[in-house]
Structures are given as C-alpha cells and as structure tokens.
Amino acid sequence: MKILEAKNVTKIYGENAGAVYRALDSFDLEVEKGEFVVIMGPSGSGKTTLLQLLGTIDRPSAGQIWIDQEEVSQLNENQLADFRRKRLGFIFQDFHLLDALSLKENLILPMVLDKRPVDEIDRRCNQLAESLGIAEVLHHRPFEVSGGQKQRTAAARALIHRPSLILADEPTGNLDSKSAHSLMESLQRLKTKEAGTVVMVTHDPATASYADRVIFIKDGKAFQEVRSSGDRSHLYQQIIHVQTVLGGGEGIDIPTARF
C-alpha cells in the first residue's frame, strides 16, 4: 500500500522578485508502507526542499502530494496543522527537546496534546524507551544526557503516536559515529517491528546504507536510484559510486563506516 505519492512536484522561488530559482522540477516519488527511503544529493540539489514539501511545511508551486491517501497540497493551514500533529513524525538534526522538561515529558508530548489516556501514554512510552535504550535516563533533562540519548528521545517522540510517515532531516548530523550507528540500528529495528515508513535526507553514506532505497537528486530532478539487496556494505559502495559521479561526496568518511 502506498503511504506517500508525489506527482510532478515543482517548487519555484523568486517568481515575484524576477530572479526565478527552480528548486524542484516535476519530481515524482512513491513510497510504500514500511519502506525506508533516503534522499541524497549535492548541496542545492533540492533534497531539503522536497522534505519541507512532504512535511507540509511549504507548498509546491505545482504538482500534487498524497500522504496516507490524503491530498495534503489541497489542505488549508488549520487542516495542515492537524494533519502534521496526527499523521507525521519529525526527527531533526537539532534535537528540539525542551530543557525545562524531562526526557519522558518531551517524549510523550504528542500524545499529551492528543489527550490520550494516561495508561496508554505510559505503555507506549515505556515500550519505545526500552527499544531505543533510553529507559534508564527518562527522568533526566536533555542537558544531563549525551547527544545520542537526546536524538533517540527525539526519535521516540516522532514514533510515539504511530504516524503514517516519519520524516528525518540529517538525524545523525550532530552525532559521533558510534551514536549514529546506535540510532540507525534502533530505527531499523523499530521500522521492522512497527512497519513504520521513513523518508530521510542525509549526506552521510553510512547512514544512508540502512535504507531500502536511496534516491539521488540533481538540479531538482531525480538522478539515480539504488536499492538494497540486504547487504549494507554493498549498498554503501553503490552510494559512494553515485556520489562520486554526482560530484557531491560531501561528508564521506569511508574508514569509519561500520557494518
């Protein structure tokens, strides 16, 4: 079943100013339920613009986007806010945790805002905390724990309300290689267990090697796609090859890749 479908999505900036910049150009994308798709490309290729459009943070200049069979490009601002809160989960490079709250309070916030029953909130919180290895630090505040623990908390917060689609923007960008590996292993286990659907933007080939598919963008258009055969090291080498062809090898660190 398709969770995400984007057809002929175009985003143009500067039309009113006279200096037109086409960030995305008739871009198509389909993502099935339970898939983990990574978007890669050089700086300025359109990958961040695409993520913003899929996250309903911005609107396309042309084209349609369906998420969970809802055409989000036609929703008004109030409908979009409600859609984001209930159907989407976001994981950012900067953790966006509130220092005044404990990790548990940060984690459960989406369900609290949704006025879900306390026993359901606690059950879901404990389940995710165990799976992501943060159960022992739930009562700490963000400034008292490591970057990896903060990012795993942010991931749990994105997952807690079982969204239709999880959107991740460079989630390992502020983590060391060990913490990044731990986060991606945890997300992969949870994706398999809960049939979660993930679309992630990253420049890091080691992070991207956890995906089912990697789609490369160049100048706002799809450039190439590579698929996993179940062998992360093979997918990693494919990613390196395409990045070399693209000339977008930013962030590559071959010796530290772990499999």
Side-chain angles (χ1 to χ4, degrees):
M1 181 179 78
K2 287 191 194 104
I3 286 294
L4 168 65
E5 186 173 9
K7 286 188 175 180
N8 298 314
V9 172
T10 297
K11 183 62 181 179
I12 299 171
Y13 294 103
E15 288 182 284
N16 296 329
V20 173
Y21 170 62
R22 192 176 290 263
L24 277 178
D25 189 0
S26 300
F27 191 87
D28 293 336
L29 176 65
E30 292 184 0
V31 178
E32 298 289 329
K33 182 176 175 61
E35 236 190 331
F36 181 3
V37 175
V38 163
I39 309 295
M40 302 188 80
S43 296
S45 60
K47 58 186 185 295
T48 299
T49 297
L50 175 62
L51 201 68
Q52 290 174 338
L53 296 178
L54 299 181
T56 73
I57 296 165
D58 200 357
R59 293 181 183 271
S61 304
Q64 296 82 39
I65 298 171
W66 288 267
I67 299 174
D68 208 8
Q69 301 182 335
E70 182 104 44
E71 188 178 357
V72 296
S73 42
Q74 296 297 315
L75 300 179
N76 64 37
E77 291 304 321
N78 288 334
Q79 291 170 326
L80 282 175
D82 189 58
F83 184 89
R84 272 185 227 110
R85 184 167 59 85
K86 293 180 178 178
R87 313 274 279 281
L88 300 180
F90 295 91
I91 309 173
F92 302 99
Q93 179 176 344
D94 297 318
F95 320 114
H96 294 300
L97 300 177
L98 301 174
D99 279 339
L101 302 180
S102 68
L103 295 188
K104 179 178 180 178
E105 289 166 336
N106 273 281
L107 196 167
I108 67 176
L109 198 54
M111 293 188 79
V112 172
L113 293 173
D114 233 4
K115 299 180 180 178
R116 306 295 285 272
V118 173
D119 60 340
E120 181 187 351
I121 292 173
D122 284 339
R123 183 171 62 254
R124 184 68 175 149
C125 174
N126 293 335
Q127 182 183 57
L128 285 170
E130 287 292 337
S131 296
L132 286 164
I134 53 172
E136 294 182 358
V137 294
L138 277 182
H139 296 291
H140 289 68
R141 293 190 181 183
F143 56 83
E144 297 174 321
V145 301
S146 70
Q149 289 167 325
K150 283 189 276 193
Q151 191 59 295
R152 289 199 295 274
T153 302
R157 181 184 58 192
L159 290 158
I160 195 167
H161 60 300
R162 292 188 170 91
S164 301
L165 178 65
I166 298 158
L167 299 167
D169 186 7
E170 299 281 7
T172 61
N174 284 334
L175 302 180
D176 58 55
S177 59
K178 183 178 178 180
S179 296
H181 176 75
S182 176
L183 174 67
M184 295 310 299
E185 289 281 349
S186 299
L187 283 178
Q188 195 172 56
R189 284 195 302 272
L190 281 170
K191 184 194 81 72
T192 302
K193 183 178 178 181
E194 303 197 12
T197 308
V198 181
V199 175
M200 176 186 295
V201 164
T202 184
H203 71 271
D204 178 24
T207 297
S209 68
Y210 286 90
D212 299 314
R213 278 193 292 150
V214 182
I215 298 168
F216 295 86
I217 298 181
K218 181 179 181 181
D219 299 329
K221 295 183 178 182
F223 176 78
Q224 191 168 337
E225 176 180 305
V226 293
R227 290 178 177 265
S228 173
S229 63
D231 181 350
R232 275 191 57 221
S233 61
H234 181 250
L235 181 58
Y236 178 81
Q237 293 302 327
Q238 288 182 288
I239 293 166
I240 294 293
H241 173 72
V242 178
Q243 282 193 318
T244 302
V245 172
L246 271 172
E250 54 185 331
I252 297 174
D253 190 359
I254 296 174
T256 61
R258 298 178 58 184
F259 301 100

